PDB file of all heavy atoms in Angstrom:
ATOM      1  N   ASN C  32      77.707  82.993 112.923  1.00 90.00           N
ATOM      2  CA  ASN C  32      76.947  84.174 112.509  1.00 90.00           C
ATOM      3  C   ASN C  32      77.475  84.689 111.169  1.00 90.00           C
ATOM      4  O   ASN C  32      78.599  85.178 111.079  1.00 90.00           O
ATOM      5  CB  ASN C  32      77.062  85.267 113.584  1.00 90.00           C
ATOM      6  CG  ASN C  32      76.152  86.443 113.304  1.00 90.00           C
ATOM      7  OD1 ASN C  32      76.317  87.148 112.316  1.00 90.00           O
ATOM      8  ND2 ASN C  32      75.178  86.655 114.178  1.00 90.00           N
ATOM      9  N   GLU C  33      76.660  84.573 110.129  1.00 88.00           N
ATOM     10  CA  GLU C  33      77.079  84.951 108.780  1.00 88.00           C
ATOM     11  C   GLU C  33      77.275  86.456 108.647  1.00 88.00           C
ATOM     12  O   GLU C  33      78.160  86.918 107.921  1.00 88.00           O
ATOM     13  CB  GLU C  33      76.040  84.475 107.763  1.00 88.00           C
ATOM     14  CG  GLU C  33      76.431  84.708 106.313  1.00 88.00           C
ATOM     15  CD  GLU C  33      77.714  83.992 105.920  1.00 88.00           C
ATOM     16  OE1 GLU C  33      77.972  82.897 106.458  1.00 88.00           O
ATOM     17  OE2 GLU C  33      78.468  84.539 105.088  1.00 88.00           O
ATOM     18  N   ASP C  34      76.455  87.231 109.348  1.00 90.00           N
ATOM     19  CA  ASP C  34      76.579  88.686 109.279  1.00 90.00           C
ATOM     20  C   ASP C  34      77.925  89.143 109.841  1.00 90.00           C
ATOM     21  O   ASP C  34      78.586  90.013 109.268  1.00 90.00           O
ATOM     22  CB  ASP C  34      75.439  89.341 110.059  1.00 90.00           C
ATOM     23  CG  ASP C  34      75.478  90.865 109.961  1.00 90.00           C
ATOM     24  OD1 ASP C  34      75.454  91.384 108.827  1.00 90.00           O
ATOM     25  OD2 ASP C  34      75.543  91.522 111.017  1.00 90.00           O
ATOM     26  N   ALA C  35      78.337  88.532 110.949  1.00 91.00           N
ATOM     27  CA  ALA C  35      79.635  88.864 111.546  1.00 91.00           C
ATOM     28  C   ALA C  35      80.763  88.478 110.599  1.00 91.00           C
ATOM     29  O   ALA C  35      81.744  89.224 110.437  1.00 91.00           O
ATOM     30  CB  ALA C  35      79.797  88.140 112.880  1.00 91.00           C
ATOM     31  N   HIS C  36      80.616  87.323 109.963  1.00 91.00           N
ATOM     32  CA  HIS C  36      81.626  86.859 109.004  1.00 91.00           C
ATOM     33  C   HIS C  36      81.791  87.860 107.863  1.00 91.00           C
ATOM     34  O   HIS C  36      82.914  88.231 107.500  1.00 91.00           O
ATOM     35  CB  HIS C  36      81.207  85.495 108.446  1.00 91.00           C
ATOM     36  CG  HIS C  36      82.114  84.967 107.378  1.00 91.00           C
ATOM     37  ND1 HIS C  36      83.325  84.359 107.659  1.00 91.00           N
ATOM     38  CD2 HIS C  36      82.002  84.974 106.020  1.00 91.00           C
ATOM     39  CE1 HIS C  36      83.908  84.009 106.517  1.00 91.00           C
ATOM     40  NE2 HIS C  36      83.128  84.368 105.518  1.00 91.00           N
ATOM     41  N   GLN C  37      80.668  88.325 107.324  1.00 90.00           N
ATOM     42  CA  GLN C  37      80.714  89.257 106.205  1.00 90.00           C
ATOM     43  C   GLN C  37      81.322  90.594 106.609  1.00 90.00           C
ATOM     44  O   GLN C  37      82.086  91.204 105.851  1.00 90.00           O
ATOM     45  CB  GLN C  37      79.305  89.477 105.647  1.00 90.00           C
ATOM     46  CG  GLN C  37      79.279  90.266 104.347  1.00 90.00           C
ATOM     47  CD  GLN C  37      80.126  89.626 103.264  1.00 90.00           C
ATOM     48  OE1 GLN C  37      80.014  88.429 103.006  1.00 90.00           O
ATOM     49  NE2 GLN C  37      80.998  90.408 102.634  1.00 90.00           N
ATOM     50  N   LYS C  38      81.000  91.061 107.809  1.00 92.00           N
ATOM     51  CA  LYS C  38      81.557  92.328 108.282  1.00 92.00           C
ATOM     52  C   LYS C  38      83.070  92.235 108.434  1.00 92.00           C
ATOM     53  O   LYS C  38      83.798  93.185 108.122  1.00 92.00           O
ATOM     54  CB  LYS C  38      80.917  92.716 109.612  1.00 92.00           C
ATOM     55  CG  LYS C  38      79.495  93.240 109.478  1.00 92.00           C
ATOM     56  CD  LYS C  38      78.930  93.653 110.827  1.00 92.00           C
ATOM     57  CE  LYS C  38      77.509  94.206 110.673  1.00 92.00           C
ATOM     58  NZ  LYS C  38      76.921  94.578 111.987  1.00 92.00           N
ATOM     59  N   LEU C  39      83.557  91.100 108.899  1.00 93.00           N
ATOM     60  CA  LEU C  39      84.999  90.911 109.057  1.00 93.00           C
ATOM     61  C   LEU C  39      85.702  90.895 107.698  1.00 93.00           C
ATOM     62  O   LEU C  39      86.744  91.534 107.518  1.00 93.00           O
ATOM     63  CB  LEU C  39      85.275  89.606 109.812  1.00 93.00           C
ATOM     64  CG  LEU C  39      84.984  89.644 111.313  1.00 93.00           C
ATOM     65  CD1 LEU C  39      84.912  88.233 111.883  1.00 93.00           C
ATOM     66  CD2 LEU C  39      86.049  90.458 112.044  1.00 93.00           C
ATOM     67  N   ILE C  40      85.120  90.167 106.750  1.00 92.00           N
ATOM     68  CA  ILE C  40      85.716  90.089 105.412  1.00 92.00           C
ATOM     69  C   ILE C  40      85.752  91.474 104.770  1.00 92.00           C
ATOM     70  O   ILE C  40      86.755  91.882 104.178  1.00 92.00           O
ATOM     71  CB  ILE C  40      84.932  89.107 104.519  1.00 92.00           C
ATOM     72  CG1 ILE C  40      85.031  87.684 105.071  1.00 92.00           C
ATOM     73  CG2 ILE C  40      85.451  89.154 103.082  1.00 92.00           C
ATOM     74  CD1 ILE C  40      86.448  87.159 105.202  1.00 92.00           C
ATOM     75  N   THR C  41      84.662  92.209 104.917  1.00 91.00           N
ATOM     76  CA  THR C  41      84.599  93.557 104.346  1.00 91.00           C
ATOM     77  C   THR C  41      85.629  94.474 104.993  1.00 91.00           C
ATOM     78  O   THR C  41      86.304  95.252 104.310  1.00 91.00           O
ATOM     79  CB  THR C  41      83.195  94.156 104.537  1.00 91.00           C
ATOM     80  OG1 THR C  41      82.237  93.332 103.862  1.00 91.00           O
ATOM     81  CG2 THR C  41      83.126  95.571 103.973  1.00 91.00           C
ATOM     82  N   SER C  42      85.777  94.377 106.303  1.00 92.00           N
ATOM     83  CA  SER C  42      86.691  95.276 107.019  1.00 92.00           C
ATOM     84  C   SER C  42      88.146  95.042 106.635  1.00 92.00           C
ATOM     85  O   SER C  42      88.985  95.934 106.801  1.00 92.00           O
ATOM     86  CB  SER C  42      86.522  95.110 108.533  1.00 92.00           C
ATOM     87  OG  SER C  42      87.024  93.864 108.971  1.00 92.00           O
ATOM     88  N   TYR C  43      88.454  93.837 106.115  1.00 93.00           N
ATOM     89  CA  TYR C  43      89.832  93.541 105.730  1.00 93.00           C
ATOM     90  C   TYR C  43      90.079  93.649 104.227  1.00 93.00           C
ATOM     91  O   TYR C  43      91.163  93.307 103.749  1.00 93.00           O
ATOM     92  CB  TYR C  43      90.244  92.154 106.242  1.00 93.00           C
ATOM     93  CG  TYR C  43      90.721  92.210 107.678  1.00 93.00           C
ATOM     94  CD1 TYR C  43      89.862  91.910 108.726  1.00 93.00           C
ATOM     95  CD2 TYR C  43      92.020  92.614 107.978  1.00 93.00           C
ATOM     96  CE1 TYR C  43      90.288  91.995 110.045  1.00 93.00           C
ATOM     97  CE2 TYR C  43      92.455  92.699 109.286  1.00 93.00           C
ATOM     98  CZ  TYR C  43      91.586  92.386 110.319  1.00 93.00           C
ATOM     99  OH  TYR C  43      92.016  92.483 111.614  1.00 93.00           O
ATOM    100  N   GLN C  44      89.103  94.146 103.480  1.00 92.00           N
ATOM    101  CA  GLN C  44      89.324  94.371 102.054  1.00 92.00           C
ATOM    102  C   GLN C  44      90.462  95.366 101.792  1.00 92.00           C
ATOM    103  O   GLN C  44      91.219  95.199 100.829  1.00 92.00           O
ATOM    104  CB  GLN C  44      88.037  94.848 101.386  1.00 92.00           C
ATOM    105  CG  GLN C  44      87.112  93.737 100.931  1.00 92.00           C
ATOM    106  CD  GLN C  44      87.749  92.839  99.883  1.00 92.00           C
ATOM    107  OE1 GLN C  44      88.381  93.303  98.937  1.00 92.00           O
ATOM    108  NE2 GLN C  44      87.594  91.536 100.055  1.00 92.00           N
ATOM    109  N   PRO C  45      90.619  96.420 102.613  1.00 91.00           N
ATOM    110  CA  PRO C  45      91.757  97.324 102.383  1.00 91.00           C
ATOM    111  C   PRO C  45      93.107  96.610 102.447  1.00 91.00           C
ATOM    112  O   PRO C  45      94.043  96.992 101.742  1.00 91.00           O
ATOM    113  CB  PRO C  45      91.613  98.356 103.516  1.00 91.00           C
ATOM    114  CG  PRO C  45      90.141  98.393 103.783  1.00 91.00           C
ATOM    115  CD  PRO C  45      89.703  96.960 103.649  1.00 91.00           C
ATOM    116  N   LEU C  46      93.213  95.574 103.275  1.00 91.00           N
ATOM    117  CA  LEU C  46      94.457  94.811 103.351  1.00 91.00           C
ATOM    118  C   LEU C  46      94.703  94.069 102.041  1.00 91.00           C
ATOM    119  O   LEU C  46      95.841  93.979 101.571  1.00 91.00           O
ATOM    120  CB  LEU C  46      94.396  93.815 104.514  1.00 91.00           C
ATOM    121  CG  LEU C  46      95.628  92.916 104.701  1.00 91.00           C
ATOM    122  CD1 LEU C  46      96.869  93.756 105.001  1.00 91.00           C
ATOM    123  CD2 LEU C  46      95.381  91.904 105.817  1.00 91.00           C
ATOM    124  N   VAL C  47      93.630  93.552 101.442  1.00 91.00           N
ATOM    125  CA  VAL C  47      93.744  92.873 100.149  1.00 91.00           C
ATOM    126  C   VAL C  47      94.235  93.852  99.087  1.00 91.00           C
ATOM    127  O   VAL C  47      95.155  93.555  98.318  1.00 91.00           O
ATOM    128  CB  VAL C  47      92.390  92.262  99.727  1.00 91.00           C
ATOM    129  CG1 VAL C  47      92.482  91.684  98.313  1.00 91.00           C
ATOM    130  CG2 VAL C  47      91.958  91.183 100.706  1.00 91.00           C
ATOM    131  N   PHE C  48      93.629  95.034  99.054  1.00 90.00           N
ATOM    132  CA  PHE C  48      94.035  96.025  98.053  1.00 90.00           C
ATOM    133  C   PHE C  48      95.474  96.483  98.280  1.00 90.00           C
ATOM    134  O   PHE C  48      96.252  96.617  97.328  1.00 90.00           O
ATOM    135  CB  PHE C  48      93.106  97.238  98.085  1.00 90.00           C
ATOM    136  CG  PHE C  48      93.577  98.349  97.187  1.00 90.00           C
ATOM    137  CD1 PHE C  48      93.501  98.220  95.807  1.00 90.00           C
ATOM    138  CD2 PHE C  48      94.135  99.507  97.719  1.00 90.00           C
ATOM    139  CE1 PHE C  48      93.966  99.232  94.973  1.00 90.00           C
ATOM    140  CE2 PHE C  48      94.597 100.515  96.897  1.00 90.00           C
ATOM    141  CZ  PHE C  48      94.512 100.376  95.517  1.00 90.00           C
ATOM    142  N   LYS C  49      95.830  96.731  99.527  1.00 88.00           N
ATOM    143  CA  LYS C  49      97.185  97.178  99.840  1.00 88.00           C
ATOM    144  C   LYS C  49      98.216  96.154  99.359  1.00 88.00           C
ATOM    145  O   LYS C  49      99.274  96.516  98.832  1.00 88.00           O
ATOM    146  CB  LYS C  49      97.323  97.387 101.347  1.00 88.00           C
ATOM    147  CG  LYS C  49      98.709  97.840 101.785  1.00 88.00           C
ATOM    148  CD  LYS C  49      98.764  98.002 103.291  1.00 88.00           C
ATOM    149  CE  LYS C  49     100.181  98.370 103.739  1.00 88.00           C
ATOM    150  NZ  LYS C  49     100.268  98.502 105.217  1.00 88.00           N
ATOM    151  N   THR C  50      97.891  94.875  99.511  1.00 88.00           N
ATOM    152  CA  THR C  50      98.801  93.817  99.065  1.00 88.00           C
ATOM    153  C   THR C  50      98.874  93.773  97.544  1.00 88.00           C
ATOM    154  O   THR C  50      99.960  93.667  96.962  1.00 88.00           O
ATOM    155  CB  THR C  50      98.332  92.454  99.604  1.00 88.00           C
ATOM    156  OG1 THR C  50      98.185  92.535 101.026  1.00 88.00           O
ATOM    157  CG2 THR C  50      99.343  91.363  99.269  1.00 88.00           C
ATOM    158  N   ALA C  51      97.721  93.871  96.885  1.00 87.00           N
ATOM    159  CA  ALA C  51      97.688  93.841  95.416  1.00 87.00           C
ATOM    160  C   ALA C  51      98.427  95.028  94.823  1.00 87.00           C
ATOM    161  O   ALA C  51      99.072  94.912  93.771  1.00 87.00           O
ATOM    162  CB  ALA C  51      96.237  93.825  94.930  1.00 87.00           C
ATOM    163  N   ALA C  52      98.352  96.171  95.492  1.00 84.00           N
ATOM    164  CA  ALA C  52      98.973  97.394  94.973  1.00 84.00           C
ATOM    165  C   ALA C  52     100.494  97.305  94.949  1.00 84.00           C
ATOM    166  O   ALA C  52     101.158  98.107  94.286  1.00 84.00           O
ATOM    167  CB  ALA C  52      98.534  98.592  95.804  1.00 84.00           C
ATOM    168  N   GLN C  53     101.057  96.334  95.659  1.00 81.00           N
ATOM    169  CA  GLN C  53     102.511  96.168  95.662  1.00 81.00           C
ATOM    170  C   GLN C  53     103.015  95.571  94.348  1.00 81.00           C
ATOM    171  O   GLN C  53     104.207  95.607  94.062  1.00 81.00           O
ATOM    172  CB  GLN C  53     102.923  95.278  96.835  1.00 81.00           C
ATOM    173  CG  GLN C  53     102.630  95.903  98.191  1.00 81.00           C
ATOM    174  CD  GLN C  53     102.863  94.936  99.339  1.00 81.00           C
ATOM    175  OE1 GLN C  53     103.241  93.789  99.134  1.00 81.00           O
ATOM    176  NE2 GLN C  53     102.626  95.392 100.554  1.00 81.00           N
ATOM    177  N   PHE C  54     102.087  95.004  93.554  1.00 78.00           N
ATOM    178  CA  PHE C  54     102.445  94.443  92.255  1.00 78.00           C
ATOM    179  C   PHE C  54     102.129  95.476  91.171  1.00 78.00           C
ATOM    180  O   PHE C  54     101.041  96.040  91.144  1.00 78.00           O
ATOM    181  CB  PHE C  54     101.655  93.158  91.986  1.00 78.00           C
ATOM    182  CG  PHE C  54     101.919  92.058  92.968  1.00 78.00           C
ATOM    183  CD1 PHE C  54     101.139  91.928  94.106  1.00 78.00           C
ATOM    184  CD2 PHE C  54     102.949  91.156  92.765  1.00 78.00           C
ATOM    185  CE1 PHE C  54     101.377  90.917  95.022  1.00 78.00           C
ATOM    186  CE2 PHE C  54     103.195  90.136  93.672  1.00 78.00           C
ATOM    187  CZ  PHE C  54     102.414  90.016  94.804  1.00 78.00           C
ATOM    188  N   HIS C  55     103.068  95.705  90.283  1.00 72.00           N
ATOM    189  CA  HIS C  55     102.891  96.715  89.236  1.00 72.00           C
ATOM    190  C   HIS C  55     102.236  96.071  88.017  1.00 72.00           C
ATOM    191  O   HIS C  55     102.921  95.586  87.116  1.00 72.00           O
ATOM    192  CB  HIS C  55     104.242  97.330  88.869  1.00 72.00           C
ATOM    193  CG  HIS C  55     104.960  97.910  90.043  1.00 72.00           C
ATOM    194  ND1 HIS C  55     104.547  99.062  90.668  1.00 72.00           N
ATOM    195  CD2 HIS C  55     106.042  97.476  90.737  1.00 72.00           C
ATOM    196  CE1 HIS C  55     105.359  99.330  91.672  1.00 72.00           C
ATOM    197  NE2 HIS C  55     106.268  98.380  91.740  1.00 72.00           N
ATOM    198  N   VAL C  56     100.914  96.047  88.009  1.00 76.00           N
ATOM    199  CA  VAL C  56     100.178  95.391  86.926  1.00 76.00           C
ATOM    200  C   VAL C  56      99.090  96.324  86.401  1.00 76.00           C
ATOM    201  O   VAL C  56      98.668  97.252  87.096  1.00 76.00           O
ATOM    202  CB  VAL C  56      99.534  94.074  87.417  1.00 76.00           C
ATOM    203  CG1 VAL C  56     100.596  93.074  87.825  1.00 76.00           C
ATOM    204  CG2 VAL C  56      98.573  94.340  88.577  1.00 76.00           C
ATOM    205  N   PRO C  57      98.600  96.090  85.177  1.00 77.00           N
ATOM    206  CA  PRO C  57      97.518  96.917  84.631  1.00 77.00           C
ATOM    207  C   PRO C  57      96.214  96.683  85.388  1.00 77.00           C
ATOM    208  O   PRO C  57      96.081  95.713  86.143  1.00 77.00           O
ATOM    209  CB  PRO C  57      97.416  96.456  83.176  1.00 77.00           C
ATOM    210  CG  PRO C  57      98.002  95.089  83.165  1.00 77.00           C
ATOM    211  CD  PRO C  57      99.087  95.106  84.189  1.00 77.00           C
ATOM    212  N   GLU C  58      95.240  97.561  85.166  1.00 75.00           N
ATOM    213  CA  GLU C  58      93.997  97.536  85.942  1.00 75.00           C
ATOM    214  C   GLU C  58      93.274  96.199  85.866  1.00 75.00           C
ATOM    215  O   GLU C  58      92.794  95.686  86.878  1.00 75.00           O
ATOM    216  CB  GLU C  58      93.066  98.655  85.466  1.00 75.00           C
ATOM    217  CG  GLU C  58      91.745  98.694  86.225  1.00 75.00           C
ATOM    218  CD  GLU C  58      90.880  99.875  85.836  1.00 75.00           C
ATOM    219  OE1 GLU C  58      91.434 100.935  85.478  1.00 75.00           O
ATOM    220  OE2 GLU C  58      89.655  99.732  85.886  1.00 75.00           O
ATOM    221  N   GLU C  59      93.180  95.627  84.669  1.00 78.00           N
ATOM    222  CA  GLU C  59      92.457  94.362  84.522  1.00 78.00           C
ATOM    223  C   GLU C  59      93.075  93.267  85.384  1.00 78.00           C
ATOM    224  O   GLU C  59      92.376  92.518  86.073  1.00 78.00           O
ATOM    225  CB  GLU C  59      92.454  93.930  83.052  1.00 78.00           C
ATOM    226  CG  GLU C  59      91.694  92.630  82.812  1.00 78.00           C
ATOM    227  CD  GLU C  59      91.714  92.224  81.348  1.00 78.00           C
ATOM    228  OE1 GLU C  59      92.103  93.048  80.496  1.00 78.00           O
ATOM    229  OE2 GLU C  59      91.336  91.078  81.065  1.00 78.00           O
ATOM    230  N   THR C  60      94.404  93.180  85.344  1.00 83.00           N
ATOM    231  CA  THR C  60      95.096  92.179  86.152  1.00 83.00           C
ATOM    232  C   THR C  60      94.989  92.518  87.632  1.00 83.00           C
ATOM    233  O   THR C  60      94.898  91.625  88.479  1.00 83.00           O
ATOM    234  CB  THR C  60      96.578  92.087  85.738  1.00 83.00           C
ATOM    235  OG1 THR C  60      96.656  91.822  84.334  1.00 83.00           O
ATOM    236  CG2 THR C  60      97.287  90.970  86.484  1.00 83.00           C
ATOM    237  N   MET C  61      94.987  93.800  87.954  1.00 86.00           N
ATOM    238  CA  MET C  61      94.844  94.226  89.342  1.00 86.00           C
ATOM    239  C   MET C  61      93.540  93.715  89.945  1.00 86.00           C
ATOM    240  O   MET C  61      93.507  93.211  91.072  1.00 86.00           O
ATOM    241  CB  MET C  61      94.902  95.751  89.435  1.00 86.00           C
ATOM    242  CG  MET C  61      94.631  96.309  90.832  1.00 86.00           C
ATOM    243  SD  MET C  61      95.917  95.865  92.027  1.00 86.00           S
ATOM    244  CE  MET C  61      97.251  96.938  91.469  1.00 86.00           C
ATOM    245  N   MET C  62      92.444  93.811  89.201  1.00 87.00           N
ATOM    246  CA  MET C  62      91.158  93.349  89.712  1.00 87.00           C
ATOM    247  C   MET C  62      91.153  91.832  89.898  1.00 87.00           C
ATOM    248  O   MET C  62      90.563  91.315  90.848  1.00 87.00           O
ATOM    249  CB  MET C  62      90.023  93.772  88.769  1.00 87.00           C
ATOM    250  CG  MET C  62      89.742  95.272  88.767  1.00 87.00           C
ATOM    251  SD  MET C  62      89.530  95.976  90.437  1.00 87.00           S
ATOM    252  CE  MET C  62      88.169  94.986  91.079  1.00 87.00           C
ATOM    253  N   GLU C  63      91.834  91.122  89.009  1.00 88.00           N
ATOM    254  CA  GLU C  63      91.933  89.667  89.169  1.00 88.00           C
ATOM    255  C   GLU C  63      92.776  89.321  90.393  1.00 88.00           C
ATOM    256  O   GLU C  63      92.476  88.363  91.121  1.00 88.00           O
ATOM    257  CB  GLU C  63      92.534  89.051  87.906  1.00 88.00           C
ATOM    258  CG  GLU C  63      91.610  89.128  86.702  1.00 88.00           C
ATOM    259  CD  GLU C  63      92.230  88.518  85.462  1.00 88.00           C
ATOM    260  OE1 GLU C  63      93.284  89.011  85.013  1.00 88.00           O
ATOM    261  OE2 GLU C  63      91.664  87.549  84.944  1.00 88.00           O
ATOM    262  N   LEU C  64      93.830  90.105  90.617  1.00 88.00           N
ATOM    263  CA  LEU C  64      94.657  89.907  91.812  1.00 88.00           C
ATOM    264  C   LEU C  64      93.827  90.119  93.079  1.00 88.00           C
ATOM    265  O   LEU C  64      93.945  89.373  94.050  1.00 88.00           O
ATOM    266  CB  LEU C  64      95.827  90.897  91.811  1.00 88.00           C
ATOM    267  CG  LEU C  64      97.142  90.493  91.153  1.00 88.00           C
ATOM    268  CD1 LEU C  64      98.177  91.579  91.390  1.00 88.00           C
ATOM    269  CD2 LEU C  64      97.645  89.163  91.680  1.00 88.00           C
ATOM    270  N   ILE C  65      93.009  91.155  93.065  1.00 90.00           N
ATOM    271  CA  ILE C  65      92.161  91.459  94.220  1.00 90.00           C
ATOM    272  C   ILE C  65      91.184  90.315  94.475  1.00 90.00           C
ATOM    273  O   ILE C  65      90.945  89.925  95.627  1.00 90.00           O
ATOM    274  CB  ILE C  65      91.413  92.788  94.000  1.00 90.00           C
ATOM    275  CG1 ILE C  65      92.409  93.958  94.069  1.00 90.00           C
ATOM    276  CG2 ILE C  65      90.305  92.977  95.030  1.00 90.00           C
ATOM    277  CD1 ILE C  65      91.843  95.288  93.634  1.00 90.00           C
ATOM    278  N   GLN C  66      90.629  89.745  93.405  1.00 90.00           N
ATOM    279  CA  GLN C  66      89.724  88.608  93.554  1.00 90.00           C
ATOM    280  C   GLN C  66      90.447  87.412  94.171  1.00 90.00           C
ATOM    281  O   GLN C  66      89.921  86.746  95.071  1.00 90.00           O
ATOM    282  CB  GLN C  66      89.139  88.229  92.196  1.00 90.00           C
ATOM    283  CG  GLN C  66      88.162  89.260  91.638  1.00 90.00           C
ATOM    284  CD  GLN C  66      87.700  88.922  90.230  1.00 90.00           C
ATOM    285  OE1 GLN C  66      88.019  87.870  89.695  1.00 90.00           O
ATOM    286  NE2 GLN C  66      86.953  89.823  89.626  1.00 90.00           N
ATOM    287  N   GLU C  67      91.664  87.147  93.680  1.00 90.00           N
ATOM    288  CA  GLU C  67      92.441  86.040  94.233  1.00 90.00           C
ATOM    289  C   GLU C  67      92.789  86.305  95.698  1.00 90.00           C
ATOM    290  O   GLU C  67      92.740  85.405  96.540  1.00 90.00           O
ATOM    291  CB  GLU C  67      93.727  85.850  93.424  1.00 90.00           C
ATOM    292  CG  GLU C  67      93.524  85.249  92.056  1.00 90.00           C
ATOM    293  CD  GLU C  67      93.055  83.808  92.112  1.00 90.00           C
ATOM    294  OE1 GLU C  67      93.479  83.072  93.024  1.00 90.00           O
ATOM    295  OE2 GLU C  67      92.262  83.415  91.241  1.00 90.00           O
TER     296      GLU C  67
END
Side-chain angles (χ1 to χ4, degrees):
N32 188 295
E33 185 60 33
D34 183 57
H36 176 79
Q37 189 56 49
K38 285 182 179 178
L39 286 164
I40 296 302
T41 299
S42 70
Y43 276 97
Q44 274 298 315
L46 179 62
V47 174
F48 173 71
K49 179 181 176 181
T50 306
Q53 295 172 0
F54 298 91
H55 304 289
V56 296
E58 180 175 329
E59 181 180 348
T60 305
M61 175 66 73
M62 290 310 302
E63 291 180 299
L64 270 185
I65 290 170
Q66 291 174 6
E67 287 293 325

